Amino acid sequence: MLPMPPESSAPQPLGLTVHSLPEAGVSDPARTRSGRWKMLAVLLVCAAPVIASYFTYYVVRPEGRSSFGTLIDPQHPMPDVQGQRLDGSTAALASLQGQWLLVSVAGGACEGRCAEHLYLQRQLRESLGREKERLDWVWLVTDAVDPDAALRPALEQGSALRLPRAQVAQWLQPEADHALEDHLYIVDPQGHWMMRLPAGMERSSAGRAKRDLERLLRASSSWDQPGR
């Protein structure tokens, strides 16, 4: 029998296998592009209703040719001016943004045409049923005369703001040969004056004005909600 070699007391080295690690910070360009396209597709799907409504409202304007009111092009943005409430407190005109507005213009005495406009504004809003919460009616008072006390209860349903007539005229404009006070004006929730109803509108034609309001509310239903 052959003698066994003496056991070595020295430690033996361990055999290690080193595997390569992925390089930090290096991404797959194809996967990155794919992810970006997927993200863009999701954003487009979410934004599609808003885009469609804006396109319909501002570009196509369905049934625009048969509208009772006159569409304003280009639309006039609401000026950055300060007004005064009837109680004397200060308020910016822009505080009225966030709702569709049906606007009349007149001095504080509010006789004749002014009183008729206030009546039509209230009635048109109420006629919209559940959609009425998306519309406010506004009286822009163009002088320092205080309205008659008999008007105060009705004004609680709308908004009255005192502004110099010259400032109002920089925003709203009547038809040729007419005055500011002869019309009702429609303003969108972003503060753009975009429609003028005919001068001297009578109660008998209020139904046609209502149809214009309904079309505008319907076209903006995906991006406009009640309240400010």
Side-chain angles (χ1 to χ4, degrees):
M1 180 179 295
L2 296 175
M4 296 293 294
E7 294 183 3
S8 172
S9 60
Q12 300 297 315
L14 297 175
L16 298 176
T17 302
V18 179
H19 297 279
S20 62
L21 298 175
E23 297 182 23
V26 177
S27 60
D28 185 344
R31 293 182 61 184
T32 301
R33 285 195 298 270
S34 176
R36 288 174 178 172
W37 279 114
K38 289 179 181 178
M39 183 180 297
L40 180 60
V42 170
L43 291 174
L44 286 175
V45 169
C46 295
V50 178
I51 295 172
S53 68
Y54 270 104
F55 181 80
T56 300
Y57 174 47
Y58 289 109
V59 181
V60 178
R61 288 175 176 171
E63 303 177 84
R65 294 181 180 177
S66 61
S67 64
F68 180 56
T70 301
L71 288 165
I72 307 304
D73 188 17
Q75 298 171 1
H76 293 203
M78 183 179 284
D80 183 15
V81 295
Q82 295 291 317
Q84 189 179 63
R85 298 187 183 95
L86 297 183
D87 63 5
S89 61
T90 301
L93 179 61
S95 66
L96 299 174
Q97 290 186 24
Q99 289 276 74
W100 285 92
L101 304 177
L102 184 59
V103 181
S104 63
V105 181
C110 196
E111 299 173 347
R113 176 57 57 189
C114 169
E116 182 69 7
H117 276 168
L118 295 184
Y119 172 83
L120 288 171
Q121 287 172 276
R122 294 194 304 273
Q123 293 303 108
L124 283 169
R125 182 179 184 272
E126 292 301 315
S127 71
L128 296 173
R130 63 181 183 181
E131 294 289 352
K132 72 179 184 179
E133 300 302 327
R134 294 172 57 197
L135 176 78
D136 285 349
W137 63 266
V138 178
W139 175 22
L140 297 180
V141 184
T142 54
D143 57 24
V145 176
D146 288 328
D148 190 279
L151 289 175
R152 297 286 177 155
L155 293 177
E156 293 178 0
Q157 303 171 26
S159 300
L161 193 65
R162 203 183 300 275
L163 283 175
R165 196 176 190 281
Q167 289 186 344
V168 177
Q170 292 175 0
W171 179 36
L172 308 177
Q173 298 172 6
E175 293 178 350
D177 301 323
H178 285 281
L180 276 170
E181 294 80 1
D182 293 340
H183 300 276
L184 292 177
Y185 305 87
I186 298 176
V187 178
D188 74 15
Q190 298 174 339
H192 297 99
W193 167 43
M194 50 77 57
M195 182 175 281
R196 178 179 55 224
L197 296 177
M201 189 177 74
E202 302 294 339
R203 299 185 188 189
S204 59
S205 56
R208 298 180 65 188
K210 177 189 173 185
R211 284 194 291 273
D212 280 352
L213 289 169
E214 289 174 333
R215 290 169 185 164
L216 293 169
L217 293 174
R218 187 165 56 247
S220 61
S221 61
S222 64
W223 56 270
D224 171 55
Q225 300 298 321
R228 291 188 171 88

